[in-house]
Amino acid sequence: MNPHFLFNALNSIQEFIILNDKQQANIFMGKFADLMRLTLDMSNKNEVVLEDEIKSIKLYLELEALRFEEQFAYEIVVDESVAVTEIYMPPML
């Protein structure tokens, strides 16, 4: 996990608190906590299922979208024929 991203994420939470936007602070903190837990869990493994890697990427992008007030769009497309629970890969690739 990039230290720059961690710093920016914590600053975003702080900004939501300063602006008294409790709902956004809560949403952001929940997603940030989920991403941290997933990252820490994956860091102890040699391989993870593609499903977890996609979940991690989605959480990261959701946080960035919140931080930039939805100013960018993204789409993660996985072909239906891909067995995301059966494909293993190095974590945080």
Side-chain angles (χ1 to χ4, degrees):
M1 179 92 24
N2 183 321
H4 185 73
F5 169 75
L6 294 173
F7 181 79
N8 286 341
L10 292 172
N11 275 342
S12 294
I13 294 168
Q14 184 179 34
E15 182 178 0
F16 289 134
I17 291 169
I18 289 170
L19 296 174
N20 203 29
D21 192 343
K22 296 175 186 174
Q23 183 177 9
Q24 283 297 93
N26 188 46
I27 290 168
F28 197 98
M29 191 173 299
K31 289 182 184 297
F32 183 68
D34 290 343
L35 179 59
M36 293 286 76
R37 169 173 257 169
L38 187 57
T39 300
L40 291 171
D41 285 345
M42 289 173 28
S43 70
N44 291 326
K45 299 177 181 177
N46 292 328
E47 293 180 323
V48 296
V49 291
L50 179 58
E51 179 180 47
D52 286 343
E53 188 68 19
I54 292 169
K55 188 185 307 181
S56 175
I57 292 167
K58 282 183 180 179
L59 282 168
Y60 172 80
L61 291 172
E62 288 171 7
L63 286 170
E64 291 293 85
L66 284 170
R67 201 164 74 79
F68 290 108
E69 300 175 0
E70 308 290 337
Q71 291 181 3
F72 73 93
Y74 62 90
E75 182 178 13
I76 297 174
V77 179
V78 180
D79 191 283
E80 293 177 11
S81 66
V82 175
V84 294
T85 59
E86 296 174 16
I87 297 173
Y88 287 82
M89 60 187 293
M92 297 175 275
L93 186 61

